[in-house]
Amino acid sequence: MKKIIFLLIILSPLSICYAYEDSISIEEKNIAIVKEMFSEFAEKLDMKKLDIYYSKNFILESNGKRYTYDEYKNLEEKIYRTLKSLKVTKYYDIFSTSNKVVSRMSIKLTHVNGKTNEFQVILIALIKDNKIDRIWELTYPSWSDKLSKKM
């Protein structure tokens, strides 16, 4: 009887969850962080979740321009006020090696006035302490070319 109880304790749902979490590679966890950031922060236009996904030391290098965490936050707030929706329409590629996630994707923005912009994005995200610490990205067309006219 003691062996059966011991076996039940070992195979409890909580222990299975821990075993599953431990079996996920760091690369899979990092891809999940990036995808979750897009689905929970960007697509929901929810600035309250910025600190959940980005480190305070965050740097964005986008199309030759560099933004600190505070600059990025201010820019996102301005952009989000002009948007009705933001949607990652497709991940063409997404993979990870160690602490970096590389992705090629399409993103569609719909503005409150009904106009849309579509962007092709290639990004490399550096993950540090389960947060996005840095992003290097190229977009076509350039974000700044399309969005500065709308703000």
Side-chain angles (χ1 to χ4, degrees):
M1 183 68 153
K2 288 182 184 179
K3 289 180 183 178
I4 293 173
I5 292 172
F6 179 73
L7 185 59
L8 288 174
I9 291 171
I10 290 176
L11 295 178
S12 70
L14 190 57
S15 67
I16 291 170
C17 288
Y18 287 129
Y20 175 73
E21 185 175 303
D22 290 340
S23 70
I24 295 175
S25 71
I26 189 70
E27 289 83 4
E28 291 170 308
K29 287 178 185 177
N30 289 340
I31 288 171
I33 289 168
V34 170
K35 283 187 162 186
E36 184 179 306
M37 178 277 294
F38 277 107
S39 66
E40 295 299 315
F41 164 69
E43 290 186 350
K44 292 183 179 177
L45 306 174
D46 189 352
M47 288 301 299
K48 294 176 196 153
K49 293 184 179 174
L50 185 75
D51 292 337
I52 294 171
Y53 298 103
Y54 293 93
S55 77
K56 292 291 184 183
N57 298 319
F58 175 72
I59 299 287
L60 169 65
E61 294 195 31
S62 179
N63 302 315
K65 295 182 182 175
R66 183 184 174 113
Y67 303 90
T68 64
Y69 174 88
D70 290 329
E71 291 168 330
Y72 175 72
K73 181 179 180 179
N74 291 335
L75 183 62
E76 288 295 287
E77 287 172 340
K78 287 178 187 175
I79 292 170
Y80 283 10
R81 283 194 294 268
T82 72
L83 296 180
K84 181 179 177 183
S85 69
L86 180 155
K87 179 75 177 146
V88 175
T89 55
K90 184 166 185 167
Y91 288 98
Y92 297 99
D93 301 294
I94 188 164
F95 59 92
S96 177
T97 180
S98 185
N99 62 345
K100 291 188 178 86
V101 176
V102 178
S103 182
R104 184 174 64 98
M105 66 185 78
S106 293
I107 296 177
K108 181 177 182 178
L109 307 181
T110 303
H111 299 273
V112 291
N113 65 9
K115 294 199 178 202
T116 62
N117 295 107
E118 292 189 42
F119 297 92
Q120 300 299 311
V121 180
I122 297 174
L123 71 79
I124 302 169
L126 173 68
I127 309 298
K128 186 176 179 182
D129 298 325
N130 295 317
K131 292 192 177 199
I132 300 169
D133 193 59
R134 190 172 198 130
I135 291 178
W136 298 269
E137 71 176 8
L138 292 173
T139 67
Y140 181 80
S142 171
W143 297 118
S144 55
D145 292 346
K146 292 291 183 182
L147 299 179
S148 61
K149 299 169 191 168
K150 307 234 187 283
M151 295 186 291

